[in-house]
Amino acid sequence: MMLTGKWLDIGPTTQIEPGTARTLPVAGGEEIAVFHTMRGEFYALVNKCPHKAGPLSQGIVHGDTVSCPLHNWRISLRTGEAQGDDKGCTPTIPLKVDGGRLFLLRDAVMAGVVA
Amino acid sequence: MNAATGFHGATQMKERLVVIGNGMAGCRAVEEVLARDPDRFAVTIFGAEPRVNYNRIMLSPVLAGEKTFDEIVINGPDWYAGNGVTLVSGDPVVAIDTLTRTVTARSGHVEPYDKLLIATGSDPFIIPVPGNSLPGVVTFRDLDDVDKMLSAAEQGGDAVVIGGGLLGLEAAHGLSLRGMKVTVVHLMPTLMERQLDEAAGWLLRQELERRGQTILTGANTKAILEADGRVAGVELEDGTRLHADIVVMAVGIRPATALAKAAGLAVERGILVDDHMVTSDPNVLAVGECVQHRGACYGLVAPLWDMCRSLAGYLTDAPQGYEGSATSTKLKVSGIDLFSAGDFSGGDGAQDIVMRDAARGVYKRVVLRDNKVVGAVLYGDTADGNWYFDLLKKGEDVSPIREALIFGQAFASGGALSDPNAAVAALPDDAEICGCNGVSKGQVVGCINAGAHSLDAVRSQCKASASCGSCTGLVEKLLAITLGGEVESGPKPMCKCTSFTHDDVRRNVVDKGLKAIPQVMQELHWTTPDGCSSCRPALNYYLLCAWPGEYVDDQQSRFVNERLHANIQKDGTYSVVPRMWGGLTNPRELRAIADVVEKYNAPMVKVTGGQRLDIFGIRKEDLPAVWADLNAAGMVSGHAYGKSLRTVKTCVGSEWCRFGTQDSTGLGVKIERMTWGSWMPHKFKIAVSGCPRNCAEATIKDFGVVCVDSGYELHIGGNGGIHVRATDLLTKVATEEEAMTMCAAFIQLYREDAHYLERTAPWVERKGVDWVRAQLLDDPDAVGRLARRFHYSQRFSQDDPWAARAAGERRDLHAHLAEVRPLQLENA
């Protein structure tokens, strides 16, 4: 995996089916969940619900939110904020799509890494 | 350029403006400049195509036979001559030298400039698959492409269009009208996903299929196939092979930046320009699809006009900067009304207003943020498209007309509509409220005044909204207007996405023959684009139950446990329960389980209440390997994770027990073999006890059998959960066969009637034991009919889901994308 440059290439967009998410473990850091919505948008978040750290990557994706598989908190994929009456926020990782490939902002990916 | 040589001499003193690109942007820019200052520049335009400037976006009507080439020419030869513009066509520029300020054409001709305008547009994106350059593979970009498609269409045969975006669908439409059998292959699940949401994409797909096109979504092209040196077909990733006499590649465009890049200009996705369309070289400007302005590249025509105005203003010393464009799209396929504009992806602070009219095939969605229109998708009725687009561009606060916004300009501008009920109150008494049953407003109000104070009461007394239910909202408003706050609440809707109840939805799915989730959402007026985590799994189940063998399960609508065939635990790991028929096991199975526990370091093994062994702490990546090991010992999925048959718990019965009256263990195994794998509204537990001492606790199960000397007592609707409920006795039968048939019939009745996530206990209480008994026992044929339907649906559900995963299916659900290992850690 290329670790140079500002953006980290994590492979082609086709490896994530719309309406699902896949995971990217970071050694020494937090696991990242990369989401592909039904509408074709991509988002990346730390794979932890702000409530009880449930793996958001395994939730049902609807609109641009995901429902956590543990207790059904609804988390915005855009901001990481819990929706409705629930309060809490999951860190997001800036993501861009270029030439059919997904890129994550390197600094944000490494943010949780203890050197 | 001979025609203009004379001019050259006379205009030596003019500044020399050289334009690369004779397309829509290049020519429009020149027009704008000439309109402001006709005498300032000596203009030379280089075009790659050997023809005059034409309206590229009208190529679709030319392909469809609705227009001729002459009709789409923008500037004929007269325009060039009359304006003193030199056109060099068919001799494209191959190099730019910004130091000497010259361009070189392919013929070797060198042209000096004072100002250079790059308007090279974009190139079609060719997907990198084998066979992509075979004869018969065409793009859809210029008139030559159209000519190739037309000559292929003359032969008839099969066309495959790769790409279900705007361009691809217009090509498909044209080829279809020209008599070809067209298949559209689209990578994404929704057609035109950049312009449409799932709901509108689904309506579009239905219409195109009705017109005879084959639409394949979620289809990834693997290779273009060859025969006799030319294209013969397309192969998809899933192995499907499509025959093709012509393949049109219309997957997208890329800004044509090669010239600019070679000349050392700053280029990212497109050629970087400032607000005056000036590139990194002050004497070089760029405009159109080849540029990137404030991070955005455009592939539509409206932004080009805005850019050309800014560019002309700058070149004639009256600069007015370009600030980017809002874009809107209409599909140029005759008879299909489709409009999209702005940002309709939703998001924080965004509010959707959705209106669906199933009878007219209309879907309208307007997206608001901070009380301003930020996006709109319209299908079937686009009359108000431009009005929404206008509101969007102006960024007006629409809160005063918000309630009526979705009904369109005519309605919203009527005024005095800040109260949503006012519009309904203003309707005349003879206005029709319920189209299905022909009920007028006067009749509904009369009915309410006569004592019908709830939606249900109105439905049963005057039938308004009792059929398709689409006027439910109107009836509710009439209740509110007529009664003030005294409306009695009726049955609750399924979720906040709809006003329909679970029963309404189930009934409509069957009556209307609805067979896909987006179809249900459209026909039943869903108010969200793609549902929520509450209604999606319910709809998936209702469709699965109604159309066994026909409906394709939607994995994205399933809760994680049913997607991964294991139970998620609080730490994100999974627990795995192999099936043990009737609770029986043997040394081979126990060894395999012990081996798995050691091999994968499972921290805990637990005997469950359903007489199974539960292995805890398995990571999702290891699940396929764990299943492979268990499969090898003959064990299959125990469905301990599903809204499905969980376990059949048994006691040892007459084979060992001194009190046993029948072979309860054997019957339990038979029942489990019959019922495993079936999807249900909720989890379903069975037990078989060999005598009334009831060691298998059959009287707190969904279906319980208590063996007695004279036969089998069959019990229903028990539950050992939060609210303990003992079963009701359904009936008593004499043979194992009768017990099994009744079991199948009861399950099927529950499957077809209960609400999603409703266990049998609350279901039996809601419907009444007498009702259940009547359904099963009154008509002597009813049990047979229900059991047959159950057995039919079981034909499609008794596949071990673990076996397929262990063999490598859906690896994407288990494997990580990749792993990030920071360098500093590796070095440490």
Side-chain angles (χ1 to χ4, degrees):
Chain A
M1 167 154 303
M2 281 290 293
L3 277 181
T4 50
K6 187 177 168 196
W7 294 93
L8 194 59
D9 183 346
I10 59 165
T13 54
T14 48
Q15 57 192 338
I16 310 177
E17 202 188 344
T20 70
R22 293 188 66 185
T23 45
L24 184 76
V26 180
E30 302 272 25
E31 185 165 282
I32 293 168
V34 185
F35 290 86
H36 188 180
T37 69
M38 294 290 212
R39 300 167 193 166
E41 298 160 308
F42 291 88
Y43 299 100
L45 280 77
V46 168
N47 192 21
K48 263 187 182 177
C49 182
H51 177 218
K52 302 270 187 189
L56 296 174
S57 60
Q58 304 302 95
I60 291 179
V61 178
H62 47 106
D64 54 6
T65 61
V66 61
S67 293
C68 176
L70 290 194
H71 307 95
N72 219 25
W73 276 35
R74 207 158 55 84
I75 308 299
S76 163
L77 297 176
R78 286 172 180 257
T79 62
E81 293 277 358
Q83 306 290 292
D85 293 333
D86 296 321
K87 293 279 173 281
C89 189
T90 293
T92 58
I93 290 96
L95 176 150
K96 70 169 184 177
V97 180
D98 196 1
R101 297 186 74 85
L102 297 165
F103 295 84
L104 298 182
L105 192 65
R106 186 180 189 279
D107 289 350
V109 171
M110 300 303 160
V113 176
V114 186
Chain B
M1 66 178 193
N2 295 341
T5 309
F7 254 108
H8 239 67
T11 56
Q12 274 307 343
M13 301 308 291
K14 292 185 182 180
E15 288 178 71
R16 292 163 300 189
L17 173 62
V18 170
V19 181
I20 306 176
N22 186 34
M24 301 182 70
C27 283
R28 181 59 169 252
V30 170
E31 281 181 30
E32 290 283 349
V33 170
L34 291 175
R36 285 169 174 72
D37 192 346
D39 298 321
R40 177 156 178 168
F41 291 100
V43 182
T44 303
I45 300 178
F46 284 82
E49 284 184 70
R51 53 182 71 90
V52 292
N53 170 241
Y54 62 92
N55 188 344
R56 198 182 297 279
I57 63 170
M58 297 308 274
L59 282 174
S60 296
V62 172
L63 177 64
E66 290 157 0
K67 286 210 182 327
T68 63
F69 177 69
D70 288 342
E71 288 177 271
I72 68 166
V73 167
I74 300 174
N75 296 317
D78 298 354
W79 176 81
Y80 295 92
N83 287 294
V85 174
T86 306
L87 172 64
V88 185
S89 59
D91 190 12
V93 170
V94 294
I96 300 167
D97 187 335
T98 54
L99 286 177
T100 59
R101 279 196 254 151
T102 55
V103 298
T104 307
R106 190 167 57 195
S107 64
H109 170 77
V110 174
E111 185 79 25
Y113 66 81
D114 296 304
K115 294 285 181 195
L116 177 67
L117 173 58
I118 303 176
T120 43
S122 58
D123 297 321
F125 180 62
I126 308 290
I127 51 174
V129 294
N132 62 8
S133 57
L134 284 169
V137 178
V138 302
T139 56
F140 187 18
R141 180 65 190 165
D142 59 28
L143 193 66
D144 294 336
D145 295 328
V146 173
D147 285 340
K148 282 182 208 161
M149 281 190 253
L150 290 178
S151 57
E154 276 171 20
Q155 317 292 321
D158 296 327
V160 171
V161 176
I162 303 175
L166 198 62
L167 212 53
L169 294 181
E170 291 183 3
H173 173 65
L175 290 169
S176 179
L177 282 186
R178 297 276 182 178
M180 295 196 86
K181 185 94 190 67
V182 179
T183 301
V184 176
V185 172
H186 191 49
L187 183 61
M188 306 302 282
T190 302
L191 292 174
M192 291 180 66
E193 77 285 347
R194 286 171 63 188
Q195 288 87 22
L196 301 182
D197 55 19
E198 192 188 10
W202 179 81
L203 284 167
L204 175 61
R205 177 188 183 133
Q206 293 273 302
E207 175 60 22
L208 295 176
E209 285 175 342
R210 201 186 57 72
R211 293 178 176 205
Q213 295 183 24
T214 304
I215 310 286
L216 302 177
T217 52
N220 199 356
T221 304
K222 187 178 177 189
I224 313 283
L225 305 173
E226 182 207 320
D228 306 326
R230 59 169 287 120
V231 70
V234 171
E235 184 178 354
L236 306 180
E237 282 291 347
D238 68 3
T240 307
R241 283 168 167 245
L242 305 165
H243 176 261
D245 299 295
I246 183 171
V247 171
V248 181
M249 225 179 256
V251 292
I253 52 171
R254 288 282 169 83
T257 58
L259 262 183
K261 208 178 229 168
L265 298 172
V267 171
E268 286 181 2
R269 260 187 311 154
I271 304 166
L272 295 184
V273 292
D274 65 12
D275 289 354
H276 305 288
M277 315 317 292
V278 179
T279 69
S280 56
D281 181 311
N283 292 313
V284 182
L285 297 89
V287 74
E289 291 179 349
C290 60
V291 309
Q292 178 178 335
H293 171 262
R294 297 192 188 180
C297 294
Y298 296 96
L300 296 164
V301 74
L304 307 194
W305 300 165
D306 297 339
M307 289 182 196
C308 287
R309 275 191 289 277
S310 303
L311 169 127
Y314 172 78
L315 281 181
T316 55
D317 301 326
Q320 9 132 236
Y322 172 66
E323 297 181 333
S325 300
T327 55
S328 69
T329 309
K330 270 190 176 177
L331 184 70
K332 289 181 294 304
V333 170
S334 42
I336 295 182
D337 291 323
L338 192 163
F339 175 91
S340 111
D343 172 16
F344 49 86
S345 56
D348 298 300
Q351 293 167 306
D352 283 322
I353 307 179
V354 175
M355 190 188 87
R356 303 183 193 238
D357 183 339
R360 290 197 300 138
V362 170
Y363 172 79
K364 296 167 89 175
R365 175 163 162 238
V366 176
V367 184
L368 303 182
R369 190 172 287 128
D370 301 329
N371 291 319
K372 290 171 188 162
V373 176
V374 294
V377 184
L378 310 176
Y379 186 94
D381 177 1
T382 54
D384 286 302
N386 288 332
W387 181 59
Y388 292 128
F389 190 45
D390 198 43
L391 289 172
L392 185 154
K393 283 190 290 187
K394 286 181 183 155
E396 265 175 29
D397 186 335
V398 294
S399 39
I401 55 169
R402 192 197 146 107
E403 294 294 345
L405 190 67
I406 197 74
F407 299 110
Q409 182 172 22
F411 200 70
S413 305
L417 287 173
S418 54
D419 175 8
N421 290 339
V424 180
L427 290 171
D429 273 354
D430 59 359
E432 187 173 82
I433 297 295
C434 175
C436 296
N437 296 307
V439 189
S440 70
K441 179 188 167 190
Q443 288 170 293
V444 176
V445 172
C447 172
I448 296 169
N449 285 332
H453 289 185
S454 70
L455 185 62
D456 255 9
V458 172
R459 281 179 176 173
S460 73
Q461 287 169 32
C462 72
K463 300 286 172 249
S465 79
S467 293
C468 85
S470 64
C471 61
T472 303
L474 282 174
V475 174
E476 283 172 338
K477 284 191 174 67
L478 286 175
L479 278 162
I481 295 163
T482 314
L483 300 174
E486 294 157 36
V487 184
E488 292 160 20
S489 59
K492 276 169 75 177
M494 223 172 112
C495 68
K496 61 188 183 336
C497 303
T498 178
S499 61
F500 284 81
T501 64
H502 282 274
D503 288 331
D504 290 337
V505 172
R506 295 208 76 164
R507 184 168 43 81
N508 274 290
V509 162
V510 175
D511 291 353
K512 294 187 171 175
L514 308 180
K515 296 188 178 177
I517 289 177
Q519 189 185 15
V520 176
M521 291 180 176
Q522 171 62 21
E523 291 291 327
L524 304 186
H525 314 273
W526 242 244
T527 57
T528 50
D530 54 6
C532 67
S533 56
S534 166
C535 60
R536 287 193 78 101
L539 293 180
N540 189 51
Y541 169 70
Y542 292 155
L543 291 166
L544 201 63
C545 177
W547 315 110
E550 199 175 341
Y551 174 68
V552 182
D553 199 296
D554 181 31
Q555 289 289 298
Q556 281 86 306
S557 296
R558 287 220 179 244
F559 181 61
V560 58
N561 289 357
E562 295 182 353
R563 233 181 303 134
L564 288 189
H565 300 288
N567 289 55
I568 195 166
Q569 302 298 327
K570 62 186 275 190
D571 65 350
T573 65
Y574 292 82
S575 81
V576 171
V577 182
R579 194 165 287 287
M580 288 178 174
W581 307 95
L584 297 178
T585 185
N586 57 45
R588 185 172 177 229
E589 290 181 354
L590 292 171
R591 274 193 202 100
I593 291 172
D595 287 344
V596 161
V597 171
E598 287 186 346
K599 187 167 164 187
Y600 299 95
N601 291 317
M604 185 166 93
V605 192
K606 168 89 177 66
V607 179
T608 72
Q611 302 181 334
R612 306 295 141 101
L613 287 172
D614 196 344
I615 309 164
F616 283 85
I618 305 292
R619 300 182 308 154
K620 76 170 193 245
E621 306 90 274
D622 291 333
L623 286 171
V626 166
W627 296 332
D629 289 357
L630 296 171
N631 275 168
M635 281 180 283
V636 298
S637 165
H639 292 80
Y641 46 79
K643 311 300 176 214
S644 58
L645 185 273
R646 290 284 176 90
T647 59
V648 180
K649 186 172 179 175
T650 65
C651 68
V652 292
S654 57
E655 198 182 347
W656 295 91
C657 178
R658 62 203 160 104
F659 300 112
T661 62
Q662 310 280 357
D663 178 15
S664 54
T665 327
L667 177 58
V669 172
K670 282 184 205 161
I671 290 178
E672 189 158 349
R673 293 270 179 202
M674 174 179 80
T675 53
W676 76 278
S678 56
W679 295 111
M680 312 256 199
H682 207 310
K683 58 186 169 187
F684 195 97
K685 300 178 179 180
I686 298 178
V688 185
S689 285
C691 79
R693 287 171 189 78
N694 194 11
C695 296
E697 298 163 346
T699 48
I700 51 163
K701 296 291 182 257
D702 294 280
F703 187 83
V705 181
V706 177
C707 302
V708 291
D709 271 337
S710 56
Y712 305 84
E713 287 176 7
L714 306 182
H715 296 259
I716 57 164
N719 194 325
I722 300 172
H723 302 289
V724 179
R725 183 180 194 275
T727 48
D728 293 295
L729 178 65
L730 174 65
T731 185
K732 193 179 149 193
V733 296
T735 65
E736 276 195 353
E737 287 66 38
E738 287 172 280
M740 298 210 13
T741 306
M742 191 59 82
C743 175
F746 174 74
I747 289 177
Q748 188 64 11
L749 183 66
Y750 169 61
R751 295 182 76 230
E752 291 178 5
D753 188 82
H755 300 168
Y756 189 67
L757 295 187
E758 184 177 40
R759 288 291 296 271
T760 58
W763 172 67
V764 167
E765 296 211 335
R766 179 167 66 83
K767 304 295 284 195
V769 184
D770 292 340
W771 179 87
V772 177
R773 282 201 190 105
Q775 299 299 308
L776 292 168
L777 306 175
D778 282 6
D779 174 355
D781 298 328
V783 167
R785 278 198 305 269
L786 283 162
R788 270 194 298 282
R789 287 208 291 278
F790 178 70
H791 293 310
Y792 178 74
S793 92
Q794 283 295 82
R795 284 166 49 183
F796 308 101
S797 58
Q798 291 198 317
D799 276 326
D800 174 26
W802 289 358
R805 296 284 173 88
E809 187 185 82
R810 294 307 308 265
R811 275 197 55 73
D812 62 305
L813 291 180
H814 299 279
H816 292 304
L817 273 176
E819 251 177 272
V820 181
R821 290 215 177 81
L823 289 170
Q824 62 263 39
L825 283 181
E826 285 181 354
N827 296 340

